[in-house]
mmCIF file of all heavy atoms in Angstrom:
data_model
loop_
_atom_site.group_PDB
_atom_site.id
_atom_site.type_symbol
_atom_site.label_atom_id
_atom_site.label_comp_id
_atom_site.label_asym_id
_atom_site.label_seq_id
_atom_site.Cartn_x
_atom_site.Cartn_y
_atom_site.Cartn_z
ATOM 1 N N SER A 1 -5.334 -3.911 4.146
ATOM 2 C CA SER A 1 -4.958 -2.606 3.587
ATOM 3 C C SER A 1 -5.890 -1.523 4.114
ATOM 4 O O SER A 1 -7.094 -1.754 4.281
ATOM 5 C CB SER A 1 -5.023 -2.646 2.060
ATOM 6 O OG SER A 1 -4.115 -3.599 1.549
ATOM 7 N N HIS A 2 -5.329 -0.348 4.354
ATOM 8 C CA HIS A 2 -6.100 0.729 4.957
ATOM 9 C C HIS A 2 -5.483 2.054 4.565
ATOM 10 O O HIS A 2 -4.264 2.174 4.404
ATOM 11 C CB HIS A 2 -6.091 0.584 6.483
ATOM 12 C CG HIS A 2 -6.672 1.753 7.219
ATOM 13 N ND1 HIS A 2 -5.903 2.807 7.664
ATOM 14 C CD2 HIS A 2 -7.943 2.035 7.581
ATOM 15 C CE1 HIS A 2 -6.675 3.679 8.278
ATOM 16 N NE2 HIS A 2 -7.915 3.235 8.245
ATOM 17 N N GLU A 3 -6.329 3.074 4.388
ATOM 18 C CA GLU A 3 -5.812 4.413 4.100
ATOM 19 C C GLU A 3 -6.626 5.469 4.837
ATOM 20 O O GLU A 3 -7.797 5.263 5.145
ATOM 21 C CB GLU A 3 -5.837 4.693 2.600
ATOM 22 C CG GLU A 3 -7.213 4.645 1.954
ATOM 23 C CD GLU A 3 -7.157 4.947 0.465
ATOM 24 O OE1 GLU A 3 -6.821 6.098 0.105
ATOM 25 O OE2 GLU A 3 -7.443 4.033 -0.325
ATOM 26 N N VAL A 4 -5.967 6.571 5.138
ATOM 27 C CA VAL A 4 -6.629 7.711 5.754
ATOM 28 C C VAL A 4 -6.973 8.710 4.655
ATOM 29 O O VAL A 4 -6.128 9.059 3.836
ATOM 30 C CB VAL A 4 -5.730 8.380 6.815
ATOM 31 C CG1 VAL A 4 -6.404 9.634 7.371
ATOM 32 C CG2 VAL A 4 -5.423 7.400 7.944
ATOM 33 N N MET A 5 -8.235 9.137 4.625
ATOM 34 C CA MET A 5 -8.688 10.086 3.609
ATOM 35 C C MET A 5 -8.889 11.456 4.243
ATOM 36 O O MET A 5 -9.684 11.606 5.175
ATOM 37 C CB MET A 5 -9.992 9.596 2.976
ATOM 38 C CG MET A 5 -9.845 8.280 2.221
ATOM 39 S SD MET A 5 -11.397 7.757 1.443
ATOM 40 C CE MET A 5 -10.833 6.252 0.605
ATOM 41 N N ASP A 6 -8.160 12.428 3.745
ATOM 42 C CA ASP A 6 -8.202 13.783 4.299
ATOM 43 C C ASP A 6 -9.459 14.498 3.804
ATOM 44 O O ASP A 6 -9.596 14.809 2.619
ATOM 45 C CB ASP A 6 -6.956 14.558 3.879
ATOM 46 C CG ASP A 6 -6.827 15.882 4.623
ATOM 47 O OD1 ASP A 6 -7.793 16.277 5.304
ATOM 48 O OD2 ASP A 6 -5.761 16.518 4.537
ATOM 49 N N CYS A 7 -10.393 14.747 4.713
ATOM 50 C CA CYS A 7 -11.647 15.428 4.366
ATOM 51 C C CYS A 7 -11.688 16.845 4.928
ATOM 52 O O CYS A 7 -12.762 17.407 5.163
ATOM 53 C CB CYS A 7 -12.833 14.618 4.877
ATOM 54 S SG CYS A 7 -13.027 13.011 4.099
ATOM 55 N N ARG A 8 -10.512 17.423 5.131
ATOM 56 C CA ARG A 8 -10.425 18.793 5.641
ATOM 57 C C ARG A 8 -10.114 19.773 4.521
ATOM 58 O O ARG A 8 -9.553 20.839 4.737
ATOM 59 C CB ARG A 8 -9.351 18.872 6.724
ATOM 60 C CG ARG A 8 -9.583 17.933 7.909
ATOM 61 C CD ARG A 8 -8.348 17.801 8.774
ATOM 62 N NE ARG A 8 -7.241 17.212 8.022
ATOM 63 C CZ ARG A 8 -6.007 17.092 8.476
ATOM 64 N NH1 ARG A 8 -5.715 17.534 9.693
ATOM 65 N NH2 ARG A 8 -5.062 16.555 7.738
ATOM 66 N N LEU A 9 -10.510 19.430 3.303
ATOM 67 C CA LEU A 9 -10.207 20.226 2.126
ATOM 68 C C LEU A 9 -11.119 21.443 2.033
ATOM 69 O O LEU A 9 -12.225 21.457 2.577
ATOM 70 C CB LEU A 9 -10.355 19.362 0.866
ATOM 71 C CG LEU A 9 -9.603 18.029 0.867
ATOM 72 C CD1 LEU A 9 -9.930 17.238 -0.394
ATOM 73 C CD2 LEU A 9 -8.109 18.258 0.999
ATOM 74 N N GLN A 10 -10.670 22.443 1.323
ATOM 75 C CA GLN A 10 -11.488 23.630 1.087
ATOM 76 C C GLN A 10 -12.594 23.287 0.099
ATOM 77 O O GLN A 10 -12.339 22.897 -1.038
ATOM 78 C CB GLN A 10 -10.628 24.772 0.530
ATOM 79 C CG GLN A 10 -11.366 26.072 0.306
ATOM 80 C CD GLN A 10 -11.839 26.707 1.611
ATOM 81 O OE1 GLN A 10 -11.149 26.665 2.623
ATOM 82 N NE2 GLN A 10 -13.035 27.270 1.590
ATOM 83 N N THR A 11 -13.838 23.423 0.519
ATOM 84 C CA THR A 11 -14.978 23.068 -0.319
ATOM 85 C C THR A 11 -15.205 24.132 -1.384
ATOM 86 O O THR A 11 -15.212 25.327 -1.079
ATOM 87 C CB THR A 11 -16.248 22.929 0.544
ATOM 88 O OG1 THR A 11 -15.983 22.052 1.634
ATOM 89 C CG2 THR A 11 -17.402 22.380 -0.270
ATOM 90 N N THR A 12 -15.409 23.724 -2.621
ATOM 91 C CA THR A 12 -15.613 24.686 -3.708
ATOM 92 C C THR A 12 -17.002 25.312 -3.614
ATOM 93 O O THR A 12 -17.943 24.714 -3.090
ATOM 94 C CB THR A 12 -15.467 24.020 -5.082
ATOM 95 O OG1 THR A 12 -16.543 23.078 -5.264
ATOM 96 C CG2 THR A 12 -14.131 23.294 -5.203
ATOM 97 N N ASN A 13 -17.145 26.507 -4.173
ATOM 98 C CA ASN A 13 -18.433 27.199 -4.159
ATOM 99 C C ASN A 13 -19.481 26.430 -4.962
ATOM 100 O O ASN A 13 -20.661 26.425 -4.593
ATOM 101 C CB ASN A 13 -18.279 28.616 -4.711
ATOM 102 C CG ASN A 13 -17.512 29.518 -3.752
ATOM 103 O OD1 ASN A 13 -17.548 29.318 -2.530
ATOM 104 N ND2 ASN A 13 -16.818 30.507 -4.286
ATOM 105 N N GLN A 14 -19.059 25.793 -6.062
ATOM 106 C CA GLN A 14 -20.005 25.021 -6.871
ATOM 107 C C GLN A 14 -20.579 23.852 -6.089
ATOM 108 O O GLN A 14 -21.781 23.580 -6.133
ATOM 109 C CB GLN A 14 -19.317 24.518 -8.142
ATOM 110 C CG GLN A 14 -19.052 25.601 -9.184
ATOM 111 C CD GLN A 14 -18.394 25.022 -10.420
ATOM 112 O OE1 GLN A 14 -17.451 24.242 -10.334
ATOM 113 N NE2 GLN A 14 -18.896 25.412 -11.590
ATOM 114 N N PHE A 15 -19.714 23.142 -5.354
ATOM 115 C CA PHE A 15 -20.184 22.011 -4.559
ATOM 116 C C PHE A 15 -21.114 22.502 -3.449
ATOM 117 O O PHE A 15 -22.150 21.877 -3.179
ATOM 118 C CB PHE A 15 -18.993 21.261 -3.961
ATOM 119 C CG PHE A 15 -19.370 19.984 -3.270
ATOM 120 C CD1 PHE A 15 -19.439 18.792 -3.969
ATOM 121 C CD2 PHE A 15 -19.661 19.972 -1.906
ATOM 122 C CE1 PHE A 15 -19.792 17.606 -3.331
ATOM 123 C CE2 PHE A 15 -20.009 18.790 -1.256
ATOM 124 C CZ PHE A 15 -20.075 17.611 -1.972
ATOM 125 N N LYS A 16 -20.764 23.615 -2.800
ATOM 126 C CA LYS A 16 -21.614 24.166 -1.747
ATOM 127 C C LYS A 16 -23.011 24.470 -2.275
ATOM 128 O O LYS A 16 -24.028 24.157 -1.632
ATOM 129 C CB LYS A 16 -21.002 25.458 -1.192
ATOM 130 C CG LYS A 16 -19.743 25.278 -0.374
ATOM 131 C CD LYS A 16 -19.237 26.639 0.096
ATOM 132 C CE LYS A 16 -17.933 26.518 0.853
ATOM 133 N NZ LYS A 16 -17.418 27.853 1.271
ATOM 134 N N LYS A 17 -23.077 25.072 -3.461
ATOM 135 C CA LYS A 17 -24.362 25.464 -4.042
ATOM 136 C C LYS A 17 -25.241 24.249 -4.298
ATOM 137 O O LYS A 17 -26.429 24.244 -3.964
ATOM 138 C CB LYS A 17 -24.117 26.234 -5.342
ATOM 139 C CG LYS A 17 -25.386 26.753 -6.004
ATOM 140 C CD LYS A 17 -25.064 27.562 -7.249
ATOM 141 C CE LYS A 17 -26.337 28.075 -7.908
ATOM 142 N NZ LYS A 17 -26.030 28.860 -9.141
ATOM 143 N N ILE A 18 -24.663 23.201 -4.872
ATOM 144 C CA ILE A 18 -25.439 21.995 -5.167
ATOM 145 C C ILE A 18 -25.823 21.277 -3.886
ATOM 146 O O ILE A 18 -26.951 20.788 -3.749
ATOM 147 C CB ILE A 18 -24.643 21.064 -6.106
ATOM 148 C CG1 ILE A 18 -24.508 21.717 -7.482
ATOM 149 C CG2 ILE A 18 -25.306 19.706 -6.235
ATOM 150 C CD1 ILE A 18 -23.680 20.941 -8.455
ATOM 151 N N TYR A 19 -24.926 21.222 -2.940
ATOM 152 C CA TYR A 19 -25.211 20.536 -1.671
ATOM 153 C C TYR A 19 -26.395 21.192 -0.966
ATOM 154 O O TYR A 19 -27.297 20.504 -0.470
ATOM 155 C CB TYR A 19 -23.974 20.567 -0.776
ATOM 156 C CG TYR A 19 -24.044 19.603 0.384
ATOM 157 C CD1 TYR A 19 -23.579 18.300 0.255
ATOM 158 C CD2 TYR A 19 -24.586 19.986 1.610
ATOM 159 C CE1 TYR A 19 -23.647 17.397 1.322
ATOM 160 C CE2 TYR A 19 -24.658 19.108 2.670
ATOM 161 C CZ TYR A 19 -24.182 17.815 2.523
ATOM 162 O OH TYR A 19 -24.267 16.935 3.575
ATOM 163 N N LEU A 20 -26.417 22.512 -0.933
ATOM 164 C CA LEU A 20 -27.511 23.228 -0.286
ATOM 165 C C LEU A 20 -28.827 23.055 -1.042
ATOM 166 O O LEU A 20 -29.903 23.067 -0.438
ATOM 167 C CB LEU A 20 -27.172 24.723 -0.179
ATOM 168 C CG LEU A 20 -26.117 25.097 0.858
ATOM 169 C CD1 LEU A 20 -25.704 26.554 0.705
ATOM 170 C CD2 LEU A 20 -26.653 24.853 2.277
ATOM 171 N N ALA A 21 -28.745 22.865 -2.366
ATOM 172 C CA ALA A 21 -29.955 22.735 -3.176
ATOM 173 C C ALA A 21 -30.552 21.334 -3.118
ATOM 174 O O ALA A 21 -31.678 21.119 -3.573
ATOM 175 C CB ALA A 21 -29.645 23.093 -4.636
ATOM 176 N N ASN A 22 -29.827 20.372 -2.566
ATOM 177 C CA ASN A 22 -30.277 18.980 -2.588
ATOM 178 C C ASN A 22 -31.205 18.608 -1.445
ATOM 179 O O ASN A 22 -31.821 17.549 -1.457
ATOM 180 C CB ASN A 22 -29.066 18.032 -2.582
ATOM 181 C CG ASN A 22 -28.550 17.776 -3.974
ATOM 182 O OD1 ASN A 22 -29.058 18.308 -4.950
ATOM 183 N ND2 ASN A 22 -27.538 16.947 -4.081
ATOM 184 N N SER A 23 -31.293 19.455 -0.426
ATOM 185 C CA SER A 23 -32.149 19.152 0.715
ATOM 186 C C SER A 23 -32.396 20.414 1.518
ATOM 187 O O SER A 23 -31.492 21.235 1.692
ATOM 188 C CB SER A 23 -31.492 18.098 1.614
ATOM 189 O OG SER A 23 -32.129 18.024 2.873
ATOM 190 N N ASP A 24 -33.634 20.547 2.031
ATOM 191 C CA ASP A 24 -33.942 21.716 2.849
ATOM 192 C C ASP A 24 -33.308 21.625 4.233
ATOM 193 O O ASP A 24 -33.320 22.588 4.998
ATOM 194 C CB ASP A 24 -35.456 21.895 2.982
ATOM 195 C CG ASP A 24 -36.124 20.713 3.675
ATOM 196 O OD1 ASP A 24 -35.513 19.637 3.728
ATOM 197 O OD2 ASP A 24 -37.272 20.875 4.144
ATOM 198 N N MET A 25 -32.736 20.456 4.573
ATOM 199 C CA MET A 25 -32.086 20.260 5.876
ATOM 200 C C MET A 25 -30.569 20.172 5.744
ATOM 201 O O MET A 25 -29.892 19.698 6.652
ATOM 202 C CB MET A 25 -32.610 18.976 6.522
ATOM 203 C CG MET A 25 -33.954 19.113 7.200
ATOM 204 S SD MET A 25 -33.819 20.014 8.755
ATOM 205 C CE MET A 25 -32.887 18.830 9.736
ATOM 206 N N ALA A 26 -30.022 20.578 4.619
ATOM 207 C CA ALA A 26 -28.596 20.386 4.350
ATOM 208 C C ALA A 26 -27.704 20.954 5.454
ATOM 209 O O ALA A 26 -27.804 22.124 5.814
ATOM 210 C CB ALA A 26 -28.242 21.035 3.012
ATOM 211 N N HIS A 27 -26.821 20.087 5.976
ATOM 212 C CA HIS A 27 -25.881 20.470 7.030
ATOM 213 C C HIS A 27 -24.531 20.793 6.379
ATOM 214 O O HIS A 27 -23.542 20.085 6.583
ATOM 215 C CB HIS A 27 -25.723 19.334 8.037
ATOM 216 C CG HIS A 27 -26.982 18.979 8.771
ATOM 217 N ND1 HIS A 27 -28.047 18.347 8.163
ATOM 218 C CD2 HIS A 27 -27.342 19.159 10.080
ATOM 219 C CE1 HIS A 27 -29.006 18.146 9.066
ATOM 220 N NE2 HIS A 27 -28.606 18.637 10.225
ATOM 221 N N LEU A 28 -24.505 21.862 5.623
ATOM 222 C CA LEU A 28 -23.314 22.193 4.845
ATOM 223 C C LEU A 28 -22.086 22.391 5.723
ATOM 224 O O LEU A 28 -20.994 21.902 5.399
ATOM 225 C CB LEU A 28 -23.553 23.450 4.010
ATOM 226 C CG LEU A 28 -22.318 23.984 3.257
ATOM 227 C CD1 LEU A 28 -21.845 22.981 2.211
ATOM 228 C CD2 LEU A 28 -22.614 25.332 2.622
ATOM 229 N N ASN A 29 -22.227 23.087 6.840
ATOM 230 C CA ASN A 29 -21.061 23.469 7.643
ATOM 231 C C ASN A 29 -20.423 22.310 8.395
ATOM 232 O O ASN A 29 -19.450 22.497 9.115
ATOM 233 C CB ASN A 29 -21.450 24.575 8.627
ATOM 234 C CG ASN A 29 -21.720 25.886 7.914
ATOM 235 O OD1 ASN A 29 -21.176 26.133 6.845
ATOM 236 N ND2 ASN A 29 -22.573 26.711 8.484
ATOM 237 N N ASP A 30 -20.964 21.109 8.234
ATOM 238 C CA ASP A 30 -20.343 19.946 8.847
ATOM 239 C C ASP A 30 -20.374 18.771 7.873
ATOM 240 O O ASP A 30 -19.372 18.454 7.246
ATOM 241 C CB ASP A 30 -21.050 19.585 10.155
ATOM 242 C CG ASP A 30 -20.287 18.531 10.947
ATOM 243 O OD1 ASP A 30 -19.092 18.734 11.200
ATOM 244 O OD2 ASP A 30 -20.883 17.502 11.296
ATOM 245 N N TRP A 31 -21.534 18.137 7.731
ATOM 246 C CA TRP A 31 -21.635 17.002 6.817
ATOM 247 C C TRP A 31 -21.259 17.379 5.390
ATOM 248 O O TRP A 31 -20.667 16.590 4.664
ATOM 249 C CB TRP A 31 -23.062 16.443 6.833
ATOM 250 C CG TRP A 31 -23.479 15.844 8.141
ATOM 251 C CD1 TRP A 31 -22.675 15.531 9.203
ATOM 252 C CD2 TRP A 31 -24.809 15.495 8.537
ATOM 253 N NE1 TRP A 31 -23.420 15.004 10.231
ATOM 254 C CE2 TRP A 31 -24.730 14.960 9.857
ATOM 255 C CE3 TRP A 31 -26.048 15.563 7.917
ATOM 256 C CZ2 TRP A 31 -25.854 14.516 10.551
ATOM 257 C CZ3 TRP A 31 -27.178 15.112 8.600
ATOM 258 C CH2 TRP A 31 -27.074 14.603 9.899
ATOM 259 N N GLY A 32 -21.594 18.596 4.994
ATOM 260 C CA GLY A 32 -21.301 19.030 3.626
ATOM 261 C C GLY A 32 -19.813 19.099 3.347
ATOM 262 O O GLY A 32 -19.342 18.665 2.297
ATOM 263 N N HIS A 33 -19.045 19.641 4.301
ATOM 264 C CA HIS A 33 -17.595 19.729 4.115
ATOM 265 C C HIS A 33 -16.964 18.338 4.102
ATOM 266 O O HIS A 33 -16.037 18.071 3.327
ATOM 267 C CB HIS A 33 -16.980 20.588 5.222
ATOM 268 C CG HIS A 33 -17.411 22.025 5.176
ATOM 269 N ND1 HIS A 33 -17.509 22.731 3.996
ATOM 270 C CD2 HIS A 33 -17.768 22.894 6.170
ATOM 271 C CE1 HIS A 33 -17.916 23.964 4.247
ATOM 272 N NE2 HIS A 33 -18.075 24.086 5.562
ATOM 273 N N ILE A 34 -17.484 17.440 4.952
ATOM 274 C CA ILE A 34 -16.968 16.071 4.951
ATOM 275 C C ILE A 34 -17.297 15.396 3.622
ATOM 276 O O ILE A 34 -16.471 14.687 3.042
ATOM 277 C CB ILE A 34 -17.565 15.275 6.130
ATOM 278 C CG1 ILE A 34 -17.191 15.918 7.459
ATOM 279 C CG2 ILE A 34 -17.067 13.822 6.098
ATOM 280 C CD1 ILE A 34 -17.928 15.335 8.663
ATOM 281 N N ALA A 35 -18.519 15.619 3.128
ATOM 282 C CA ALA A 35 -18.930 15.021 1.855
ATOM 283 C C ALA A 35 -18.015 15.453 0.719
ATOM 284 O O ALA A 35 -17.655 14.642 -0.147
ATOM 285 C CB ALA A 35 -20.375 15.404 1.542
ATOM 286 N N TYR A 36 -17.615 16.717 0.728
ATOM 287 C CA TYR A 36 -16.708 17.165 -0.323
ATOM 288 C C TYR A 36 -15.378 16.431 -0.226
ATOM 289 O O TYR A 36 -14.814 15.998 -1.239
ATOM 290 C CB TYR A 36 -16.479 18.674 -0.242
ATOM 291 C CG TYR A 36 -15.532 19.171 -1.314
ATOM 292 C CD1 TYR A 36 -15.952 19.253 -2.648
ATOM 293 C CD2 TYR A 36 -14.216 19.506 -1.016
ATOM 294 C CE1 TYR A 36 -15.088 19.671 -3.642
ATOM 295 C CE2 TYR A 36 -13.348 19.928 -2.009
ATOM 296 C CZ TYR A 36 -13.788 20.010 -3.321
ATOM 297 O OH TYR A 36 -12.927 20.413 -4.315
ATOM 298 N N GLY A 37 -14.883 16.266 1.000
ATOM 299 C CA GLY A 37 -13.643 15.511 1.172
ATOM 300 C C GLY A 37 -13.779 14.084 0.677
ATOM 301 O O GLY A 37 -12.862 13.538 0.048
ATOM 302 N N ILE A 38 -14.924 13.474 0.934
ATOM 303 C CA ILE A 38 -15.169 12.119 0.436
ATOM 304 C C ILE A 38 -15.135 12.103 -1.081
ATOM 305 O O ILE A 38 -14.554 11.202 -1.702
ATOM 306 C CB ILE A 38 -16.527 11.595 0.950
ATOM 307 C CG1 ILE A 38 -16.493 11.411 2.471
ATOM 308 C CG2 ILE A 38 -16.897 10.276 0.273
ATOM 309 C CD1 ILE A 38 -17.845 11.092 3.085
ATOM 310 N N SER A 39 -15.761 13.105 -1.696
ATOM 311 C CA SER A 39 -15.822 13.143 -3.164
ATOM 312 C C SER A 39 -14.438 13.224 -3.796
ATOM 313 O O SER A 39 -14.245 12.786 -4.934
ATOM 314 C CB SER A 39 -16.667 14.339 -3.622
ATOM 315 O OG SER A 39 -15.974 15.572 -3.442
ATOM 316 N N GLN A 40 -13.474 13.771 -3.065
ATOM 317 C CA GLN A 40 -12.122 13.920 -3.594
ATOM 318 C C GLN A 40 -11.223 12.737 -3.247
ATOM 319 O O GLN A 40 -10.061 12.690 -3.688
ATOM 320 C CB GLN A 40 -11.494 15.205 -3.044
ATOM 321 C CG GLN A 40 -12.265 16.465 -3.393
ATOM 322 C CD GLN A 40 -12.422 16.653 -4.883
ATOM 323 O OE1 GLN A 40 -11.437 16.750 -5.621
ATOM 324 N NE2 GLN A 40 -13.671 16.685 -5.355
ATOM 325 N N ASN A 41 -11.734 11.777 -2.480
ATOM 326 C CA ASN A 41 -10.907 10.657 -2.027
ATOM 327 C C ASN A 41 -11.461 9.279 -2.383
ATOM 328 O O ASN A 41 -10.724 8.407 -2.830
ATOM 329 C CB ASN A 41 -10.747 10.720 -0.499
ATOM 330 C CG ASN A 41 -9.751 11.752 -0.031
ATOM 331 O OD1 ASN A 41 -8.542 11.515 -0.033
ATOM 332 N ND2 ASN A 41 -10.253 12.910 0.382
ATOM 333 N N LEU A 42 -12.755 9.082 -2.167
ATOM 334 C CA LEU A 42 -13.339 7.754 -2.320
ATOM 335 C C LEU A 42 -13.520 7.415 -3.800
ATOM 336 O O LEU A 42 -14.084 8.222 -4.550
ATOM 337 C CB LEU A 42 -14.700 7.697 -1.615
ATOM 338 C CG LEU A 42 -15.280 6.318 -1.335
ATOM 339 C CD1 LEU A 42 -14.439 5.583 -0.297
ATOM 340 C CD2 LEU A 42 -16.726 6.447 -0.843
ATOM 341 N N PRO A 43 -13.058 6.250 -4.252
ATOM 342 C CA PRO A 43 -13.226 5.876 -5.662
ATOM 343 C C PRO A 43 -14.697 5.859 -6.054
ATOM 344 O O PRO A 43 -15.548 5.370 -5.307
ATOM 345 C CB PRO A 43 -12.621 4.470 -5.714
ATOM 346 C CG PRO A 43 -11.670 4.409 -4.569
ATOM 347 C CD PRO A 43 -12.291 5.247 -3.493
ATOM 348 N N GLU A 44 -15.005 6.397 -7.224
ATOM 349 C CA GLU A 44 -16.378 6.416 -7.723
ATOM 350 C C GLU A 44 -16.899 4.987 -7.827
ATOM 351 O O GLU A 44 -16.207 4.086 -8.264
ATOM 352 C CB GLU A 44 -16.437 7.102 -9.089
ATOM 353 C CG GLU A 44 -17.824 7.202 -9.693
ATOM 354 C CD GLU A 44 -18.768 8.051 -8.862
ATOM 355 O OE1 GLU A 44 -18.311 9.021 -8.228
ATOM 356 O OE2 GLU A 44 -19.970 7.733 -8.865
#
């Protein structure tokens, strides 16, 4: 079994704020947007 997870979603401002606050090296404009897509797809 296999599925494709769409990580091209519009990242919310709240998620952006927390992502940037979690590390001084935060790569929001790439890894951050992918991370948001993961959060909306991958089972907790």
Side-chain angles (χ1 to χ4, degrees):
S1 298
H2 171 268
E3 60 179 294
V4 176
M5 296 182 178
D6 190 350
C7 295
R8 302 166 297 173
L9 308 176
Q10 183 66 38
T11 308
T12 67
N13 289 331
Q14 287 181 314
F15 187 89
K16 290 179 183 178
K17 183 177 180 181
I18 292 176
Y19 195 90
L20 287 170
N22 274 1
S23 166
D24 62 341
M25 280 286 292
H27 297 71
L28 174 64
N29 290 333
D30 190 53
W31 295 347
H33 295 318
I34 299 170
Y36 180 73
I38 294 172
S39 73
Q40 301 302 300
N41 283 279
L42 196 68
E44 181 63 33

